[in-house]
Amino acid sequence: YALNFQQTEHAAWLCMIGNLKKWKEGALKREITVKGKPLTLTAERGACHGTSHWVDFRWNNPEITFADILEVFGELPIPPYLNRESEASDEVRYQTVYSKEEGSVAAPTAGLHFTRAILNDLKEKGVHVRELTLHVGAGTFRPVKAETIGDHDMHTEHLVISRELVEQLKEKTGDIVAVGTTSVRTLESLYWMGVKRLAGQGDFFTLGQWEAYTLPQDYSLREAMEALCGWFDTACQELLKARTTIIIVPGYRYRVIDAMFTNFHQPQSTLLLLVGAAVGEDWHKIYDYALTHDFRFLSYGDSSLLEVKKS
């Protein structure tokens, strides 16, 4: 992601395109001014990839990066169900206060509830706040349309984890509370990547959709994290860059987290399945309560603190 944002003169992205039929053959062009410099931006549609298309972007000024163009030309992708155009206030409200890396197609919305003041209060109360990176992909919005969950293809998301975080997970001394389902998927994926390394699988950097259910199940969190620490030692790296396609559904046993903050999700979503895996059949009671008490759902909605039911 970072490399593509830094490109000059040309960048290619896999894009979701609205009103595709209106895009006839040939390149689209727009004259824009970026950092006080005029340039011509062109976009040419390429091959289809699932429900998306490759789009080649080109511009005629080598001093301007693609990130510079997005800052001027792009619009903040607020959720479409808000039925309004993005506003200046969204640039603050639809962003976590701790965001640092560009790359997600949406904000991890459970984190929107945490202000600097709240984070400082937590630290003063002895809560250790740690950060991780997962680039939210467009697939997070794709509903489950298959008759059975086994026929649903989960999307892949990229993550970046520091050695320091892995060391702290290895020495776990208290409850781990994940902020958002993105953090949940990342932390649980880390465990299984450690298990893959313990099982002698070289390609532990990639976690498949169902591997969490087929890999050895008897390793502790400490053992899995020690395996990843061994990789940091061998590779002389401080960051682990990997990708996960893990799907968490009822029947999954959480290995890392003890609780999660998460907003309220829509029916037929993989996120609701993840919640069901955490709290069991109680998810019905939780959602019935939310619906009968006018809780707000989805990105700009209310949040919940859910404890993982241990089997």
Side-chain angles (χ1 to χ4, degrees), residues 87-100:
E87 303 168 353
S89 61
D90 291 312
E91 295 187 13
V92 176
R93 294 179 62 209
Y94 195 59
Q95 183 62 280
T96 60
V97 297
Y98 46 80
S99 174
K100 296 182 179 67

PDB file of all heavy atoms in Angstrom, residues 87-100:
ATOM      1  N   GLU A  87     -18.727  15.326   4.512  1.00  0.00           N
ATOM      2  CA  GLU A  87     -18.560  16.695   4.981  1.00  0.00           C
ATOM      3  C   GLU A  87     -17.171  16.859   5.600  1.00  0.00           C
ATOM      4  O   GLU A  87     -16.484  15.868   5.889  1.00  0.00           O
ATOM      5  CB  GLU A  87     -19.631  17.012   6.035  1.00  0.00           C
ATOM      6  CG  GLU A  87     -21.057  16.814   5.522  1.00  0.00           C
ATOM      7  CD  GLU A  87     -22.078  16.839   6.643  1.00  0.00           C
ATOM      8  OE1 GLU A  87     -21.657  16.881   7.836  1.00  0.00           O
ATOM      9  OE2 GLU A  87     -23.281  16.806   6.345  1.00  0.00           O
ATOM     10  N   ALA A  88     -16.777  18.100   5.796  1.00  0.00           N
ATOM     11  CA  ALA A  88     -15.453  18.373   6.368  1.00  0.00           C
ATOM     12  C   ALA A  88     -15.303  17.708   7.739  1.00  0.00           C
ATOM     13  O   ALA A  88     -14.231  17.198   8.082  1.00  0.00           O
ATOM     14  CB  ALA A  88     -15.230  19.877   6.476  1.00  0.00           C
ATOM     15  N   SER A  89     -16.392  17.652   8.511  1.00  0.00           N
ATOM     16  CA  SER A  89     -16.330  17.063   9.851  1.00  0.00           C
ATOM     17  C   SER A  89     -16.033  15.569   9.800  1.00  0.00           C
ATOM     18  O   SER A  89     -15.485  15.001  10.752  1.00  0.00           O
ATOM     19  CB  SER A  89     -17.643  17.305  10.602  1.00  0.00           C
ATOM     20  OG  SER A  89     -18.731  16.706   9.910  1.00  0.00           O
ATOM     21  N   ASP A  90     -16.388  14.900   8.674  1.00  0.00           N
ATOM     22  CA  ASP A  90     -16.132  13.467   8.557  1.00  0.00           C
ATOM     23  C   ASP A  90     -14.640  13.155   8.556  1.00  0.00           C
ATOM     24  O   ASP A  90     -14.229  12.057   8.955  1.00  0.00           O
ATOM     25  CB  ASP A  90     -16.758  12.918   7.274  1.00  0.00           C
ATOM     26  CG  ASP A  90     -18.275  12.930   7.322  1.00  0.00           C
ATOM     27  OD1 ASP A  90     -18.828  12.476   8.343  1.00  0.00           O
ATOM     28  OD2 ASP A  90     -18.896  13.390   6.359  1.00  0.00           O
ATOM     29  N   GLU A  91     -13.830  14.088   8.096  1.00  0.00           N
ATOM     30  CA  GLU A  91     -12.387  13.850   8.053  1.00  0.00           C
ATOM     31  C   GLU A  91     -11.815  13.675   9.452  1.00  0.00           C
ATOM     32  O   GLU A  91     -10.749  13.091   9.628  1.00  0.00           O
ATOM     33  CB  GLU A  91     -11.692  14.993   7.323  1.00  0.00           C
ATOM     34  CG  GLU A  91     -12.079  15.084   5.845  1.00  0.00           C
ATOM     35  CD  GLU A  91     -11.265  16.106   5.099  1.00  0.00           C
ATOM     36  OE1 GLU A  91     -10.234  16.570   5.654  1.00  0.00           O
ATOM     37  OE2 GLU A  91     -11.629  16.450   3.963  1.00  0.00           O
ATOM     38  N   VAL A  92     -12.535  14.178  10.451  1.00  0.00           N
ATOM     39  CA  VAL A  92     -12.133  13.996  11.844  1.00  0.00           C
ATOM     40  C   VAL A  92     -12.930  12.864  12.480  1.00  0.00           C
ATOM     41  O   VAL A  92     -12.374  11.985  13.145  1.00  0.00           O
ATOM     42  CB  VAL A  92     -12.333  15.294  12.646  1.00  0.00           C
ATOM     43  CG1 VAL A  92     -12.008  15.069  14.122  1.00  0.00           C
ATOM     44  CG2 VAL A  92     -11.458  16.401  12.075  1.00  0.00           C
ATOM     45  N   ARG A  93     -14.242  12.864  12.236  1.00  0.00           N
ATOM     46  CA  ARG A  93     -15.118  11.904  12.906  1.00  0.00           C
ATOM     47  C   ARG A  93     -14.946  10.489  12.362  1.00  0.00           C
ATOM     48  O   ARG A  93     -15.027   9.527  13.106  1.00  0.00           O
ATOM     49  CB  ARG A  93     -16.580  12.334  12.746  1.00  0.00           C
ATOM     50  CG  ARG A  93     -16.921  13.641  13.455  1.00  0.00           C
ATOM     51  CD  ARG A  93     -18.368  14.008  13.222  1.00  0.00           C
ATOM     52  NE  ARG A  93     -19.262  12.985  13.765  1.00  0.00           N
ATOM     53  CZ  ARG A  93     -20.469  12.717  13.276  1.00  0.00           C
ATOM     54  NH1 ARG A  93     -20.899  13.384  12.222  1.00  0.00           N
ATOM     55  NH2 ARG A  93     -21.226  11.796  13.826  1.00  0.00           N
ATOM     56  N   TYR A  94     -14.731  10.356  11.041  1.00  0.00           N
ATOM     57  CA  TYR A  94     -14.619   9.034  10.439  1.00  0.00           C
ATOM     58  C   TYR A  94     -13.152   8.634  10.333  1.00  0.00           C
ATOM     59  O   TYR A  94     -12.658   8.232   9.280  1.00  0.00           O
ATOM     60  CB  TYR A  94     -15.291   9.013   9.068  1.00  0.00           C
ATOM     61  CG  TYR A  94     -15.542   7.601   8.542  1.00  0.00           C
ATOM     62  CD1 TYR A  94     -16.332   6.705   9.264  1.00  0.00           C
ATOM     63  CD2 TYR A  94     -15.010   7.185   7.332  1.00  0.00           C
ATOM     64  CE1 TYR A  94     -16.566   5.432   8.793  1.00  0.00           C
ATOM     65  CE2 TYR A  94     -15.242   5.904   6.853  1.00  0.00           C
ATOM     66  CZ  TYR A  94     -16.021   5.036   7.590  1.00  0.00           C
ATOM     67  OH  TYR A  94     -16.248   3.761   7.124  1.00  0.00           O
ATOM     68  N   GLN A  95     -12.449   8.767  11.460  1.00  0.00           N
ATOM     69  CA  GLN A  95     -11.033   8.410  11.534  1.00  0.00           C
ATOM     70  C   GLN A  95     -10.673   8.203  12.990  1.00  0.00           C
ATOM     71  O   GLN A  95     -11.083   8.988  13.854  1.00  0.00           O
ATOM     72  CB  GLN A  95     -10.170   9.524  10.936  1.00  0.00           C
ATOM     73  CG  GLN A  95      -8.693   9.243  10.892  1.00  0.00           C
ATOM     74  CD  GLN A  95      -8.378   8.029  10.030  1.00  0.00           C
ATOM     75  OE1 GLN A  95      -8.528   6.898  10.491  1.00  0.00           O
ATOM     76  NE2 GLN A  95      -7.967   8.266   8.806  1.00  0.00           N
ATOM     77  N   THR A  96      -9.920   7.158  13.276  1.00  0.00           N
ATOM     78  CA  THR A  96      -9.490   6.949  14.658  1.00  0.00           C
ATOM     79  C   THR A  96      -8.377   7.935  15.003  1.00  0.00           C
ATOM     80  O   THR A  96      -7.616   8.356  14.135  1.00  0.00           O
ATOM     81  CB  THR A  96      -8.975   5.509  14.849  1.00  0.00           C
ATOM     82  OG1 THR A  96      -7.870   5.286  13.963  1.00  0.00           O
ATOM     83  CG2 THR A  96     -10.071   4.498  14.564  1.00  0.00           C
ATOM     84  N   VAL A  97      -8.282   8.292  16.267  1.00  0.00           N
ATOM     85  CA  VAL A  97      -7.271   9.268  16.683  1.00  0.00           C
ATOM     86  C   VAL A  97      -5.869   8.675  16.635  1.00  0.00           C
ATOM     87  O   VAL A  97      -4.877   9.410  16.660  1.00  0.00           O
ATOM     88  CB  VAL A  97      -7.563   9.804  18.105  1.00  0.00           C
ATOM     89  CG1 VAL A  97      -8.888  10.552  18.131  1.00  0.00           C
ATOM     90  CG2 VAL A  97      -7.558   8.667  19.136  1.00  0.00           C
ATOM     91  N   TYR A  98      -5.784   7.338  16.552  1.00  0.00           N
ATOM     92  CA  TYR A  98      -4.468   6.698  16.572  1.00  0.00           C
ATOM     93  C   TYR A  98      -4.036   6.198  15.184  1.00  0.00           C
ATOM     94  O   TYR A  98      -3.033   5.506  15.050  1.00  0.00           O
ATOM     95  CB  TYR A  98      -4.441   5.534  17.567  1.00  0.00           C
ATOM     96  CG  TYR A  98      -5.633   4.604  17.488  1.00  0.00           C
ATOM     97  CD1 TYR A  98      -5.718   3.608  16.519  1.00  0.00           C
ATOM     98  CD2 TYR A  98      -6.684   4.723  18.391  1.00  0.00           C
ATOM     99  CE1 TYR A  98      -6.794   2.769  16.444  1.00  0.00           C
ATOM    100  CE2 TYR A  98      -7.777   3.873  18.339  1.00  0.00           C
ATOM    101  CZ  TYR A  98      -7.826   2.891  17.359  1.00  0.00           C
ATOM    102  OH  TYR A  98      -8.916   2.060  17.295  1.00  0.00           O
ATOM    103  N   SER A  99      -4.800   6.537  14.157  1.00  0.00           N
ATOM    104  CA  SER A  99      -4.457   6.094  12.807  1.00  0.00           C
ATOM    105  C   SER A  99      -3.132   6.693  12.352  1.00  0.00           C
ATOM    106  O   SER A  99      -2.868   7.875  12.567  1.00  0.00           O
ATOM    107  CB  SER A  99      -5.560   6.498  11.827  1.00  0.00           C
ATOM    108  OG  SER A  99      -5.191   6.206  10.506  1.00  0.00           O
ATOM    109  N   LYS A 100      -2.298   5.870  11.710  1.00  0.00           N
ATOM    110  CA  LYS A 100      -0.997   6.342  11.222  1.00  0.00           C
ATOM    111  C   LYS A 100      -0.720   5.934   9.780  1.00  0.00           C
ATOM    112  O   LYS A 100      -0.133   6.692   9.026  1.00  0.00           O
ATOM    113  CB  LYS A 100       0.135   5.804  12.112  1.00  0.00           C
ATOM    114  CG  LYS A 100       0.114   6.288  13.552  1.00  0.00           C
ATOM    115  CD  LYS A 100       1.304   5.731  14.323  1.00  0.00           C
ATOM    116  CE  LYS A 100       1.304   6.220  15.773  1.00  0.00           C
ATOM    117  NZ  LYS A 100       0.161   5.658  16.527  1.00  0.00           N
TER     118      LYS A 100
END
